[in-house]
Amino acid sequence: MKTLIQLLGVGLMVYGIYFLGQNIFFTTRVPYYYWYSGIAATGSAISMLLGMMTVAFAGNELKTIGWFLIGLGVALIFISGRIVLQPTSLWEFFLGFVCIIGGYKMFTLKRI
């Protein structure tokens, strides 16, 4: 029964992320006029990859650096200007976060 609750929790988290992510679009049609056109995009991909590998495989003393690299990658995505955020209603925002938080609680506590 606990495994079923954990699977339901993972499902709720995925649904919440999907629900919030419906209004996020990535584009490659941003005009650049300088030679450094793809530095932010390349830096974000490399930073997030290194951060995920550090969090997954490094010891506890390096996990803070890994989370910093992931945050830097997310910041570089927004700086590169290749992400478009569509308007989201307060109700959609609330419902998405309730699904994510409720699913996380079900996944970690293994109870409803």
Side-chain angles (χ1 to χ4, degrees), residues 39-110:
I39 290 179
T42 305
S44 67
I46 292 172
S47 177
M48 290 184 77
L49 179 66
L50 288 174
M52 287 187 285
M53 288 174 46
T54 304
V55 168
F57 300 118
N60 288 334
E61 62 276 354
L62 293 177
K63 287 192 188 233
T64 304
I65 295 172
W67 285 112
F68 173 75
L69 287 172
I70 290 172
L72 179 67
V74 170
L76 286 174
I77 287 173
F78 284 103
I79 290 171
S80 71
R82 295 182 182 209
I83 189 168
V84 178
L85 301 174
Q86 296 275 323
T88 304
S89 71
L90 185 60
W91 176 248
E92 290 175 343
F93 188 75
F94 175 74
L95 190 61
F97 269 100
V98 165
C99 287
I100 292 171
I101 292 169
Y104 179 75
K105 284 295 191 179
M106 289 173 69
F107 181 72
T108 56
L109 296 178
K110 300 175 187 164

Side-chain angles (χ1 to χ4, degrees), residues 28-41 79-82:
T28 58
R29 296 188 181 237
V30 176
Y32 289 106
Y33 302 107
Y34 303 105
W35 61 271
Y36 56 88
S37 63
I39 290 179
I79 290 171
S80 71
R82 295 182 182 209

